[in-house]
Amino acid sequence: MYTTSTTVVIQSALTKSGIDKEEIRGIGFDATCSLVVLDGDGASVSVNHSGSTEQDIVMWMDHRAEDQAKRINDTNHDVLKYVGGIISLEMQAPKLLWLKENLHSTCWSKAHHLFDLPDFLTWKATGSLSRSLCSLVCKWNYQAGVHGNNGWSEDFFSQISLEDLVDNGCSMIGTEVKPPGSPCGNGLSQHAAEEMGLVAGIPVGTSLIDAHAGALGCMGCIPRSEVTYSLPDITSRLVLVCGTSTCHMIVNEKEVFVPGVWGPFYSSILPGLWTTEGGQSTTGKLIDFIVQSHPAYPEVRTAAKERNIHEHDFINELLEKQAKQKNLQSLCELTRDLHIWPDFHGNRSPLADPTLKGMICGLTLNCDMNDLALKYLATIQAIAYGTEHIIQEMRGKGLDVSIIYMCGGLRKNTVYLKTHVDVTGLPLILPDEAESVLVGAAMLGACASNDFPSLQVAMETMGGSGTIVLPSSTDSNYHAKKFRVFLEMVDDQKKYDSIMS
């Protein structure tokens, strides 16, 4: 499905833009860090009990490998130091172990190639089995930048019962590792070129995970001069890639270890720099769940459709009306008695606890559209407090977080954006380009084609401009109180769990 969709999109883009295929100088890919399993012929292998080969991808947010992740963490192996000290069940080693233990005959015994989805796409485009350093260091426990200990750790795989991954020189998981933006193989294959309607041999850049591509696409963005602001060094810029989930990406010249926060990952975005990656497993997905499971959702959906506006825009208007009716200084105060802990799908960072659940305090019997709007607002605030929690942990270990960049679908939501600015107290740059992830992928192609001498030059040249949004000091005290409640909620949850166990 992914490759079919890719070819359709490329053909459509060529047709609508009117650009001649001869003008295309390079291609870059990004994708989610999902797990693709293929056999020796490159055919799909089923990854679930149904045996359907159409289901050959384990989604990044799949949480079935909780027990496997726990057992891997119990080894306390040195490689875990580079994933925040605790491997996430969203990473590939737990998922691979789950497949081996639960689908050995139907999946594991047939597996010949194991790809991160971004690497699968470059393989489909070029035939090259090379892997991206980004994917391997972030999701596969590949070691890079570690003095005298780079590459695959056979000892690690042996300890976690995945010793078969090192057979034949680790051919299943990658023997050729390339930095992002470097050319893959001999460029676009003849077969792929015919499917896409492009010229064979076009350089294809080594891929990035989608969030990392978003960070690359954002970090070179410069705010316009209507606001006097001195942009901090690149190592002080935190990028929020906000979609179904949210990733919090920052680079540094040195290894910085933050317990419960992924990384540091060497050269996963820019060569020679270490990436620290916080994350929330559900953000956009959580907002959708809260809104769409509410009894008043059909009414909201119909009203928004009649006005031809996004549902979030309609709900934001409801909040403005409520705040005005109650003579509140800010609509954020509407949730004074409503608090949410947002880990409905576990906590990725900074607690690194997949067993945590969501919590709501302050429910009433109200179930109208205004009540939906309040729960929506409290959810957005909870997500922003989660971001502040991550930032505090980063700062506590020496990272300098001075400004935020935001990209992804949620950047279009004005309440979501403003809440994050006010909760963190940090200025935020909103790139003019709405699709920063795609810009990052384009930088990979531009680098592979030698149009730029390095990925950093491509980033600085193609980063574009943006708008700067400054925090409101009037809401800071309110959010500080809500954040205290936020932290108390998780402590309460742990108390309840202790009582029940």
Side-chain angles (χ1 to χ4, degrees), residues 39 76 98 109 113 123 149 170 195 245 291 392 437 455 458 467:
D39 65 17
N76 293 313
W98 188 96
S109 63
H113 297 296
W123 169 71
N149 198 27
C170 301
E195 283 193 336
S245 64
V291 169
Q392 288 191 6
V437 174
L455 205 52
T467 303

Side-chain angles (χ1 to χ4, degrees), residues 83-343:
V83 290
I86 303 173
I87 198 168
S88 169
L89 72 177
E90 293 178 8
M91 293 180 175
Q92 306 301 15
K95 292 175 180 176
L96 294 170
L97 187 56
W98 188 96
L99 292 175
K100 181 177 180 179
E101 293 177 344
N102 292 273
L103 299 175
H104 193 281
S105 61
T106 58
C107 175
W108 191 256
S109 63
K110 298 178 181 179
H112 193 83
H113 297 296
L114 301 167
F115 286 105
D116 226 48
L117 185 55
D119 291 330
F120 167 77
L121 291 174
T122 56
W123 169 71
K124 288 290 287 186
T126 68
S128 171
L129 291 169
S130 64
R131 304 300 208 275
S132 170
L133 182 63
C134 174
S135 294
L136 296 194
V137 298
C138 294
K139 305 300 174 185
W140 294 75
N141 300 107
Y142 185 86
Q143 299 289 276
V146 184
H147 300 296
N149 198 27
N150 293 314
W152 295 113
S153 171
E154 295 187 14
D155 177 66
F156 173 65
F157 288 134
S158 176
Q159 283 197 34
I160 66 172
S161 302
L162 286 175
E163 60 280 346
D164 26 0
L165 293 181
V166 304
D167 292 345
N168 301 314
C170 301
S171 61
M172 289 177 68
I173 52 179
T175 58
E176 183 183 8
V177 183
K178 301 174 74 69
S182 58
C184 284
N186 296 315
L188 196 64
S189 69
Q190 185 65 45
H191 175 72
E194 291 173 357
E195 283 193 336
M196 295 178 180
L198 297 174
V199 177
I202 293 171
V204 175
T206 297
S207 62
L208 282 171
I209 298 169
D210 54 351
H212 294 68
L216 180 66
C218 276
M219 284 191 296
C221 177
I222 305 298
R224 283 186 295 276
S225 58
E226 65 262 27
V227 175
T228 302
Y229 183 77
S230 178
L231 192 64
D233 182 82
I234 193 172
T235 58
S236 298
R237 306 174 193 177
L238 180 71
V239 180
L240 302 189
V241 186
C242 308
T244 303
S245 64
T246 294
C247 293
H248 309 68
M249 322 281 289
I250 191 167
V251 297
N252 198 269
E253 294 174 350
K254 299 178 181 178
E255 296 172 296
V256 177
F257 297 94
V258 184
V261 177
W262 293 353
F265 301 130
Y266 185 70
S267 296
S268 68
I269 300 176
L270 290 170
L273 295 179
W274 296 84
T275 302
T276 300
E277 178 184 355
Q280 295 161 293
S281 293
T282 55
T283 50
K285 178 66 175 176
L286 178 60
I287 295 170
D288 289 343
F289 174 78
I290 293 294
V291 169
Q292 294 172 11
S293 63
H294 195 281
Y297 174 63
E299 191 176 356
V300 166
R301 179 180 57 193
T302 299
K305 189 175 182 179
E306 287 176 350
R307 294 181 52 195
N308 195 30
I309 61 175
H310 195 282
E311 292 167 5
H312 289 180
D313 293 330
F314 178 78
I315 299 171
N316 292 345
E317 289 182 3
L318 290 177
L319 292 171
E320 292 285 359
K321 290 178 182 177
Q322 288 191 69
K324 186 175 181 180
Q325 289 169 356
K326 296 181 179 182
N327 295 316
L328 297 177
Q329 186 176 13
S330 170
L331 66 80
C332 71
E333 298 174 27
L334 288 165
T335 60
R336 181 184 180 279
D337 299 319
L338 182 61
H339 310 283
I340 291 180
W341 179 265
D343 289 329

